Structures are given as structure tokens and as C-alpha cells.
Amino acid sequence: MPTDPEEEGPDAGDDGEPRSTADLVPSEDGAHALAQRFWLYATSGPDVGATFSSSGDRIALGTHASADVVLHDSTVSRFHCEIAPHEGRPMVHDLGSRNGTLIDAVPVREAYLRPGAILTLGRTQLRFEVGAQPVRVAISTREHFGAAAGRSLAMRRVFAVLERVAQSDVTVLLEGETGTGKELVAESIHTESARAEGPFVVVDCGAIPRDLLESELFGHEKGSFTGAVALRQGAFEAAAGGTVFLDEIGELGPDLQPKLLRVLERREVKRVGATRYAPIDVRVVAATNRNLRSEVNAGRFRSDLYYRLAVVEVRLPPLRERKDDLPLLLERILDSLGAGGRPEAALVRAPDFLSEVVRHTWPGNVRELRNYVERCLALRESGPIQPGDGGVGDEPGVDVGVPLRAGRERWVRAFEHRYLEALMARHGENVTAAARAAGVGRVQMYRLLWRHGLR
């Protein structure tokens, strides 16, 4: 964010009403979207007199070097608060700061901002204004990036960023709610990159017991601990020439965070029980459904590790912010279930079905949508949508009105779903242990879990 006002300046006459109910609106050239510009004027504190203007649709304020607005106030947290649009209106979110965030002297955790409002962070006061000229945000002309799909402005903006980062080895941090498709996007970054021919190795930092996670990440030498009966490569060595995807990175314990930091800084790894470091050649993509800036403020996540992971930070929008994608997603789900050409697909393509799914907020995002579609296909009817709707439900009935192959596939899907649910429950949601018990590879297990909406 620049520290000098731009020529257009803030719109002093703006009444604060949103230009649109959407957070992004299309521009005339078709290659950009328009977002509301924010201005902040420091009226007190160490940065008094400074002016900040947003360069995107959301800005983070704090003392950390990677914040969008860097303040020089020791009473301000490293990541103090964030300003982002919500249904076309600017909203401030406190990020678990030490001293809290105030709007017009009223403490808030999140609240809408109006032009002229005074934002107080520690000893610093900032006057908030809305710019007369919008921010131009690049969007992709594509509706697909790898296996990820979307035609909404929110997703095309994400695709525009991913298209650029895929051509380099830069570390990427994916943030988004559960079910937004972070693993799918991570794998798409891999397949669209120069490393596509190399391995794509997944490590779920939240599902693997902490006493085994170090070995899973870095490997171990034979005899290095009880049960280490043979030398084993860790994920970073196994992914040589390819990509390591660290899912749920926010669950990484404090004892492993400095070790991961060294891997990212030095590009070398030491197995458990080894005496020397070995160089590695991997690309790292991490993902979390937590707000890591809040985790840094709370002392649960190292700020230097966050800085190394968030070289490029990509937020995946929840489904409720990309309703324009529903028709496309429904077709993709039908294809992935092998139901695109079956008679019951007409149920999902019916206008009434689309109207119903558009009204739902989908707190479980694309995963919940997929579960609901699969259930409707299995039962051959569109029942009511329940919060967290998932699972195949009852056994599919025997329908002699469909071909044998279609009927058999329906039973196989129902069996797989119940088998995977029971398997994961037995192994405490540990994907590696479940894959070993099922006699399949870890990557294949992840694909099965994704297919059935269990991951």
C-alpha cells in the first residue's frame, strides 16, 4: 500500500452505500474485476500523517513486515485486524489482537465500516474513507485451472494468481474453509507447473499423530526409535523433483515448526536419527482452514514460519460467495460420479433443483454439495437440504429399471462410503494408518476420501 495519496483521493462525498451487493464487479475490458478502494489516514500515533490506500479487495493491518499496512506502534499486534468486503460493504475483523480493535471508541470483533469512522489500534487512530476510483484486480479468462473449476469473478481472480505462481517454485499458502477444495487446488498448481512429471506428496498435519509426524515429514534412520526397523524416506525426500502439500499446516506443533522453517530456508532435511542434512528439490504448498495471522498473535504459530509459508497467500472463497459457479460445479460432480449420462442426472439438471441449491448457504462448501448430489442420485429424489448434509444415507434400493452396471456402481459407492467412514473412525482419522489397513497407497486413500466427501 502506498504511503502517499493517489491522484483520485478518497471520495469525500461518498455516502458509504455499496456500489454493488457483490464484493467484485466486472470491468469493461473483461480482464479485470473492480473492487472498492479503501483509504486510511493516520490521525494519531507514531505514524500520524501517513496515508494508506488499498491495492486489493482486502488489507491486513499490523506491525509485521508482511502486513499490507505496516504500523510502527509497539501497542499494535503483529497482525492486528483485517478489512475485507462482505456483501459489498467494508467490514473490519479483529485478528485476536492484544489490545483489541475499536470503531468510534467501541470495541468490536467484527463490524461494518462507514466513511469517516475512526479505527483505533493501540495508540494509533486511523480515519477510514472509501475511494472514488475502484481497484482493478486481474482475473483469468479461463473457467478451469487444473481440476479446479469456476466461472465466478471470485474464482477467476484466484485462477489469475494461480496461473502466475504455477510457473515458479514459490511457496504458496492456501487459506479457506473446510470443503473449499484446497487439496484440489494444490494438486492443480502441481499439474500446471514444470514439476508436473514429478511426485505430488500429501501430508495431513492434522491427522497424523504428533509423535509420528516428524518421521512422516523428514524420514528416519533404521533403529532411530522403537519400531524403526528400516530406513524410511520422509515426504520431502519422496517428493524430489515434485511438490509437497502440507495440509492443515496450522495444526503443526511448536516442536516441529522450527524444523520445518529450516527446511524452507535452507532447502535441506535431516532424518530422525541422522547426523547430516541432505539437500532437497521440492516445491511446497501449504493449506489451512485457520487464520494463521490470529495464530501468530496467540503465540501458537511462529511468525517467521508464517512469513516463509505465505510468500504467496491465496484465499479460496466459500461456496456462498461463488453461487455463479453452481451450474458448472453440479456438472463436474455428475461427471466425477460417472452419472453425467445416466437418467437420474436429469434430477440434478432440473431448474427447481438449481433454485433450491442456490438458496442454501452450504456451510460445508463444495464437499457438502457433492455429498448432497450423491445422496439425491442414490435415492433418486431431491430431499430437503440439511446443514452439513452428507453421506449416502440408507442402502440404495434395487432398481431393475436401470442397467445392471449403473445399479452395481450405485451399490459400490454406497459400500465404499460406509467402509471409509468406519475405517477412518477406527484409525482415529489417521489417513496413513487407514491406508495401510486398507492395503492401498496414501495418495489413493486421499482420492477415495475426497471422492466421497470425507476429506
Side-chain angles (χ1 to χ4, degrees):
M1 297 180 66
T3 54
D4 293 313
E6 297 186 16
E7 292 183 1
E8 79 274 6
D11 185 359
D14 197 319
D15 60 6
E17 292 300 314
R19 297 182 178 86
S20 167
T21 57
D23 297 336
L24 295 173
V25 295
S27 64
E28 294 181 358
D29 64 7
H32 295 83
L34 303 178
Q36 201 169 51
R37 186 184 298 275
F38 309 141
W39 288 79
L40 294 168
Y41 290 87
T43 58
S44 68
D47 297 290
V48 63
T51 302
F52 307 94
S53 170
S54 62
S55 57
D57 63 339
R58 58 183 57 234
I59 55 174
L61 294 76
T63 57
H64 197 273
S66 66
D68 302 302
V69 174
V70 179
L71 300 172
H72 303 86
D73 182 347
S74 61
T75 63
V76 171
S77 296
R78 285 172 288 191
F79 299 104
H80 200 101
C81 65
E82 181 182 68
I83 300 174
H86 179 69
E87 296 181 351
R89 298 173 62 189
M91 175 178 279
V92 65
H93 305 260
D94 184 81
L95 297 175
S97 62
R98 289 174 297 172
N99 298 324
T101 299
L102 288 75
I103 299 179
D104 294 333
V106 178
V108 299
R109 293 190 66 179
E110 62 178 31
Y112 287 113
L113 283 166
R114 61 169 181 80
I118 299 298
L119 195 62
T120 302
L121 288 65
R123 294 193 301 266
T124 297
Q125 290 191 325
L126 302 159
R127 189 176 83 250
F128 175 83
E129 298 289 356
V130 176
Q133 298 297 323
V135 178
R136 291 166 63 85
V137 179
I139 58 175
S140 174
T141 58
R142 300 163 56 181
E143 294 185 355
H144 298 84
F145 177 81
R151 59 171 61 108
S152 64
L153 291 178
M155 282 306 292
R156 289 168 58 199
R157 181 193 179 184
V158 169
F159 292 166
V161 176
L162 297 179
E163 287 166 1
R164 295 196 298 272
V165 302
Q167 304 310 310
S168 71
D169 276 345
V170 66
T171 302
V172 180
L173 176 64
L174 303 174
E175 289 192 331
E177 298 176 5
T178 298
T180 49
K182 297 184 287 294
E183 182 174 345
L184 187 70
V185 169
E187 189 165 7
S188 297
I189 292 173
H190 172 72
T191 57
E192 295 268 336
S193 74
R195 294 179 175 268
E197 298 302 316
F200 177 73
V201 178
V202 178
V203 179
D204 190 331
C205 300
I208 302 172
R210 293 195 174 186
D211 56 344
L212 299 178
L213 185 54
E214 183 175 6
S215 175
E216 187 75 17
L217 288 169
F218 310 127
H220 62 251
E221 297 288 332
K222 181 179 178 180
S224 56
F225 56 86
T226 302
V229 296
L231 180 149
R232 180 185 176 183
Q233 283 189 330
F236 286 99
E237 288 184 277
T243 302
V244 169
F245 174 51
L246 304 176
D247 199 9
E248 300 304 342
I249 191 65
E251 305 295 332
L252 193 67
D255 53 330
L256 291 182
Q257 289 180 25
K259 297 179 181 180
L260 176 59
L261 178 63
R262 182 184 178 98
V263 172
L264 296 175
E265 288 182 334
R266 304 285 186 88
R267 295 290 159 172
E268 59 184 19
V269 66
K270 184 170 71 172
R271 297 174 185 159
V272 177
T275 58
R276 291 185 300 177
Y277 285 88
I280 55 169
D281 173 26
V282 297
R283 200 249 183 88
V284 177
V285 179
T288 180
N289 60 10
R290 296 189 181 192
N291 189 314
L292 287 191
R293 291 167 172 171
S294 296
E295 296 296 296
V296 169
N297 286 340
R300 291 187 292 265
F301 203 84
R302 293 177 61 117
S303 61
D304 49 2
L305 177 56
Y306 168 79
Y307 188 79
R308 284 290 179 178
L309 289 170
V311 178
V312 175
E313 196 168 5
V314 180
R315 174 184 175 270
L316 301 185
L319 190 52
R320 62 183 175 273
E321 293 181 8
R322 44 180 297 215
K323 293 290 186 72
D324 292 347
D325 292 338
L326 281 168
L328 179 61
L329 291 174
L330 289 173
E331 288 297 327
R332 291 292 295 266
I333 291 170
L334 286 173
D335 289 343
S336 68
L337 296 173
R342 299 212 307 259
E344 56 264 41
L347 172 72
V348 177
R349 294 179 174 131
D352 290 346
F353 188 94
L354 180 59
S355 298
E356 179 66 21
V357 298
V358 166
R359 285 194 294 268
H360 190 55
T361 57
W362 300 108
N365 294 296
V366 180
R367 183 180 300 158
E368 181 187 1
L369 176 66
R370 179 190 175 91
N371 290 347
Y372 177 67
V373 170
E374 187 170 5
R375 192 189 74 173
C376 291
L377 291 173
L379 301 179
R380 301 177 70 86
E381 63 179 9
S382 54
I385 302 173
Q386 301 295 334
D389 211 336
V392 174
D394 299 331
E395 290 182 352
V398 176
D399 184 358
V400 295
V402 300
L404 173 63
R405 180 178 179 182
R408 182 169 55 224
E409 287 175 353
R410 190 179 304 160
W411 275 87
V412 169
R413 285 199 308 275
F415 165 76
E416 279 188 355
H417 189 97
R418 289 193 295 274
Y419 176 86
L420 291 168
E421 280 186 321
L423 182 71
M424 292 298 289
R426 171 175 291 186
H427 294 281
E429 303 300 316
N430 185 323
V431 178
T432 301
R436 188 181 302 115
V440 300
R442 194 167 65 248
V443 173
Q444 183 182 354
M445 177 59 70
Y446 271 104
R447 293 185 191 280
L448 286 168
L449 293 171
W450 171 258
R451 183 188 306 162
H452 288 276
L454 299 174
R455 203 73 191 158

